Amino acid sequence: SLIDEWGRKRTLLLGSILFTVNTFAYCFVHDFTGLFLLRICNGISQGIFFPVPPTVVSDNVSKERLPDALGLFGISGSLPVAFAPTLGLFVYRTFSAHGLFFLTTCTALVAVVLALSITDRYIPQKSLPSVDKGNIQANETKQIDFKMEDILCT
């Protein structure tokens, strides 16, 4: 995947920078076609960005603490969904749509700065030496043939 090939930090930076640029560009769009194209670009940037943070959490937490860490991470992702509509409506009514997009751009810039502080501890599988374990190597998989009757309880 892109996260494994490029590294967590580079992928997070790419996604957050693209998201910041896209969000700022909303201030200059005045027609449906431009809005439609920006939404496509925004979806691409979010598709790059959003898989990375839970991956970084799982890379930096012990296996014993992983369920707790991912649970807390999931809850922290739910809070903006709960509060953002009310805050967004307040900003929109107070400062207009341009103010809303400008504020969103500023918070996206904070995400870029925070992404710079991430330490990428992941070691790509390609760089690991293969270890001989009988006739299966560490970076190979063994195909197992089975029948559905072996799995299903009848």
Side-chain angles (χ1 to χ4, degrees):
S1 74
L2 186 66
I3 299 171
D4 293 334
E5 288 180 30
W6 286 13
R8 277 74 165 126
K9 185 173 184 172
R10 287 176 60 192
T11 309
L12 194 65
L13 280 170
L14 174 67
S16 58
I17 289 169
L18 286 175
F19 182 77
T20 303
V21 170
N22 286 332
T23 304
F24 185 65
Y26 279 109
C27 295
F28 306 104
V29 172
H30 301 288
D31 64 342
F32 180 76
T33 305
L35 182 65
F36 182 74
L37 293 174
L38 268 181
R39 286 297 297 149
I40 290 172
C41 294
N42 200 333
I44 292 169
S45 67
Q46 288 182 2
I48 294 170
F49 178 82
F50 281 106
V52 181
T55 307
V56 171
V57 169
S58 65
D59 286 345
N60 291 294
V61 176
S62 68
K63 288 186 179 184
E64 296 80 29
R65 302 285 305 188
L66 188 59
D68 297 333
L70 289 176
L72 287 172
F73 182 79
I75 290 171
S76 71
S78 300
L79 293 176
V81 174
F83 295 110
T86 304
L87 180 62
L89 187 59
F90 171 76
V91 172
Y92 177 77
R93 287 182 177 169
T94 307
F95 300 105
S96 79
H98 289 290
L100 179 64
F101 290 125
F102 182 74
L103 179 64
T104 306
T105 302
C106 291
T107 57
L109 281 172
V110 171
V112 172
V113 171
L114 291 174
L116 289 169
S117 69
I118 297 291
T119 303
D120 203 350
R121 297 181 181 172
Y122 176 75
I123 301 170
Q125 295 295 326
K126 294 177 189 174
S127 65
L128 292 176
S130 60
V131 178
D132 188 14
K133 293 182 179 179
N135 55 358
I136 302 175
Q137 292 195 353
N139 55 0
E140 292 181 1
T141 59
K142 183 177 180 182
Q143 185 171 350
I144 301 171
D145 293 324
F146 60 89
K147 297 178 184 175
M148 287 303 289
E149 295 87 32
D150 297 337
I151 297 173
L152 299 174
C153 297
T154 55

